[in-house]
């Protein structure tokens, strides 16, 4: 070990370094990010502090700032990744204190308004304030080019004029409400036409105002969702840099933010290294031809992403850089497990039925619908897989016999039915050979699709998976979209980690 002490940088050196980093960041942002990550993760001072110093205390302000950064990053990610993302009104739990207080306050307000309007002469203080709020809301819906509508709203809902009319006893609230409803009908989305129509049937002032504010809240949601859909294409271009920048700030404050990512990549690297040791390529034969991926960063990353589809979500923490997509990967994993079982049932069925039914796509779709219905909830603790597969066997046999008869073939004998039902029921065993075969081929298909990069065409469907080809391709598209987006955001972090892991792996192999 070297006995030389660490030499601190002088101010001139630091200034020179910062200028170099700024210049690099302009020329190559990914390279600059990798340099910052290496400084954050491999600094001797940082390592020594992590080993010998107590946990660093974080102020409430820093904690709130970090939480806000995470919240913004999650929102931007959700808008980009989830094409069906929509803002929805918050629904308070029934019987909660917050909902109870809100209902009490709202009731007190509307009761006060009704009492004012019932006076002789009526008092319009609250009513005028509500008209002012409605006016501001309507104006907020307008685009810069809506000059005529803006002038109409400003002229009719002139609060000074309304106050004078109230003082002189000439205020007609019903006429104002009629104008407001008409303007709402002009500005609302077509989906709100029915709510606007209902407003016209309300003739009492207080219930009408309550209903107007309720519909205005819905219109605000519509406007917000329209804005989200409008900015999505532009946000897609900026989201990669935005998420990376936000995560970097978190990483600089919490240096252990990549611990689980490192474990995940280390495990994938070890798996591939073990595969190479067990199946070394023959002399003169490349690694690709041997069927074992080459031990390189891209292969390790793809292998690591495949492991997410076999994740133990109960006992293992998910990698930090994938937490925002944790639910999506979990749902995809459950979807693949059900698809594997569906593919196994179809393979067994067609093997027993022979070639008679293999060229009937409509029949395959019908059987898949039945299987999907009967396997609904298969991941719940209360689900009995053996009983459900027994029911599937009965239904499949009945449908097969019906289809054979319709196409002029001989229905199954009793022995063949018993054999088919028995083979379907054995699929409940966790070590069933057919299920393992289908699962292995699905994994091979997904790995090939990831390896192919951004090519639009799908790889060849492995044998026996033809009946579930459409479902596999749909999952592959969703899966690759998540993986490729995650790579774009976090590849600088993965590159730094994998360079260390693979250098260590290579030195061990040579040793």
């Amino acid at each position: 070990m070297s006995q030389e002490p660490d030499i601190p940088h002088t101010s001139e050196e630091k200034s020179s370094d910062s200028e170099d980093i700024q210049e690099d960041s302009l020329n190559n942002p990914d390279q600059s990010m990798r340099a910052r990550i290496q400084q954050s993760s491999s600094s001797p001072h940082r390592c020594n502090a992590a080993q010998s110093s107590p946990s660093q205390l974080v102020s409430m302000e820093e904690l709130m700032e970090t939480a806000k950064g995470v919240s913004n990053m999650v929102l931007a990610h959700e808008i980009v990744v989830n094409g069906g993302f929509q803002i929805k009104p918050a629904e308070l739990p029934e019987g909660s204190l917050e909902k109870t207080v809100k209902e009490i306050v709202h009731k007190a307000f509307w009761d006060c308004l009704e009492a004012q309007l019932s006076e002789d002469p009526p008092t319009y203080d609250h009513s005028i304030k509500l008209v002012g709020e409605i006016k501001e809301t309507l104006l907020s819906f307008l685009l810069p080019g809506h000059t005529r509508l803006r002038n109409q709203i400003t002229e009719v809902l002139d609060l000074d004029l309304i106050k004078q009319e109230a003082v002189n006893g000439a205020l007609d609230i019903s006429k104002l409400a009629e104008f407001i409803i008409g303007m709402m009908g002009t500005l609302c989305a077509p989906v709100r036409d029915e709510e606007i129509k209902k407003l016209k049937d309300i003739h009492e002032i207080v219930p009408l105002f309550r209903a107007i504010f309720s519909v205005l809240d819905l219109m605000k949601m519509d406007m917000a969702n329209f804005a989200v859909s409008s900015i999505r294409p532009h946000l897609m271009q900026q989201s990669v840099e935005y998420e990376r920048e936000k995560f970097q700030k978190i990483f600089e404050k919490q240096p252990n933010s990549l611990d689980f990512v490192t474990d995940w990549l280390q495990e994938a690297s070890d798996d591939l290294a073990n595969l190479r040791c067990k199946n070394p390529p023959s002399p003169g034969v490349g690694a690709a031809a041997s069927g074992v991926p080459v031990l390189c960063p891209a292969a390790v990353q793809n292998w690591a992403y495949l492991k997410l589809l076999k994740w133990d979500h109960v006992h293992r923490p998910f990698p930090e850089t994938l937490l925002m997509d944790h639910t999506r990967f979990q749902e995809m994993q459950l979807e693949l497990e059900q698809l594997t079982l569906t593919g196994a049932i179809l393979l067994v069925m067609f093997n027993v039925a022979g070639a008679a039914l293999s060229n009937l796509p409509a029949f395959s779709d019908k059987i898949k619908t039945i299987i999907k219905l009967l396997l609904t909830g298969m991941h719940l603790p209360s689900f009995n897989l053996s009983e459900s597969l027994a029911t599937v066997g009965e239904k499949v046999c009945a449908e097969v016999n019906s289809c054979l008869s319709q196409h002029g073939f001989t229905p199954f004998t009793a022995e063949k039915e018993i054999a088919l039902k028995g083979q379907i029921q054995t699929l409940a065993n966790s070590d069933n050979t057919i299920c393992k075969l289908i699962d292995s081929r699905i994994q091979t298909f997904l790995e090939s699709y990831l390896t192919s990069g951004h090519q639009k065409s799908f790889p060849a469907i492995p044998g026996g998976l033809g009946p579930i080809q459409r479902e596999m391709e749909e999952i592959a598209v969703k899966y690759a979209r998540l993986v490729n987006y995650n790579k774009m955001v976090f590849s600088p972090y993965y590159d730094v980690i994998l360079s260390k892991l693979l250098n260590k792996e290579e030195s061990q192999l040579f040793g």
Side-chain angles (χ1 to χ4, degrees), residues 3-235:
Q3 300 298 317
E4 294 181 3
D6 292 337
I7 301 174
H9 293 290
T10 64
S11 60
E12 289 82 0
E13 289 172 325
K14 289 180 180 178
S15 175
S16 176
D17 289 346
S18 64
E19 290 174 0
D20 291 342
I21 290 174
Q22 288 176 357
E23 184 178 353
D24 288 345
S25 65
L26 291 173
N27 296 331
N28 192 337
D30 278 0
Q31 193 68 30
S32 172
M33 179 61 70
R34 291 187 184 93
R36 291 170 63 192
I37 295 166
Q38 286 175 331
Q39 289 175 358
S40 299
S41 60
S42 59
S43 166
H45 174 74
R46 186 179 292 278
C47 293
N48 292 337
Q51 292 173 1
S52 58
S53 301
S55 300
Q56 181 182 5
L57 296 177
V58 181
S59 67
M60 180 58 70
E61 290 77 10
E62 290 177 318
L63 187 62
M64 293 301 293
E65 183 183 349
T66 302
K68 183 180 179 182
V70 172
S71 177
N72 291 341
M73 185 170 62
V74 170
L75 180 59
H77 181 86
E78 189 69 22
I79 292 173
V80 171
V81 174
N82 182 5
F85 175 83
Q86 281 194 331
I87 300 171
K88 296 181 180 179
E91 295 183 4
L92 300 176
E94 195 65 38
S96 64
L97 177 62
E98 187 177 358
K99 185 170 184 177
T100 303
V101 171
K102 182 179 178 180
E103 289 174 348
I104 291 172
V105 171
H106 282 200
K107 186 177 185 303
F109 175 82
W110 294 115
D111 287 349
C112 180
L113 176 63
E114 190 160 12
Q116 283 192 346
L117 295 176
S118 300
E119 293 176 4
D120 189 17
T123 304
Y124 293 106
D125 293 347
H126 277 22
S127 301
I128 294 172
K129 288 179 181 178
L130 291 180
V131 170
E133 291 183 25
I134 293 171
K135 175 184 177 181
E136 294 303 317
T137 303
L138 291 176
L139 290 173
S140 70
F141 293 150
L142 300 180
L143 298 175
H146 290 160
T147 307
R148 184 177 59 82
L149 294 177
R150 181 174 284 101
N151 291 338
Q152 285 184 10
I153 295 171
T154 306
E155 181 182 342
V156 177
L157 302 182
D158 185 344
L159 297 186
D160 292 334
L161 179 61
I162 292 173
K163 288 176 183 176
Q164 290 179 12
E165 290 177 347
V167 171
N168 297 324
L171 179 60
D172 188 348
I173 288 288
S174 299
K175 186 177 179 180
L176 289 178
E178 184 180 346
F179 170 79
I180 289 170
I181 294 172
M183 188 58 66
M184 289 170 64
T186 302
L187 298 175
C188 74
V191 71
R192 302 301 171 200
D193 287 345
E194 191 62 32
E195 280 87 352
I196 299 296
K197 185 178 178 181
K198 291 177 181 177
L199 291 178
K200 297 177 181 179
D201 297 331
I202 303 174
H203 302 293
E204 295 181 14
I205 297 300
V206 174
L208 179 57
F209 267 118
R210 294 190 70 164
I212 285 173
F213 274 95
S214 178
V215 176
L216 284 174
D217 286 340
L218 295 176
M219 291 173 64
K220 288 177 184 177
M221 289 294 168
D222 296 337
M223 198 68 182
N225 287 319
F226 172 74
V228 167
S229 63
S230 300
I231 67 171
R232 183 177 285 116
H234 307 287
L235 187 60

Side-chain angles (χ1 to χ4, degrees), residues 457-470:
S457 59
F458 290 98
I461 294 292
L465 301 186
I468 56 172
Q469 177 177 351
R470 185 180 71 251

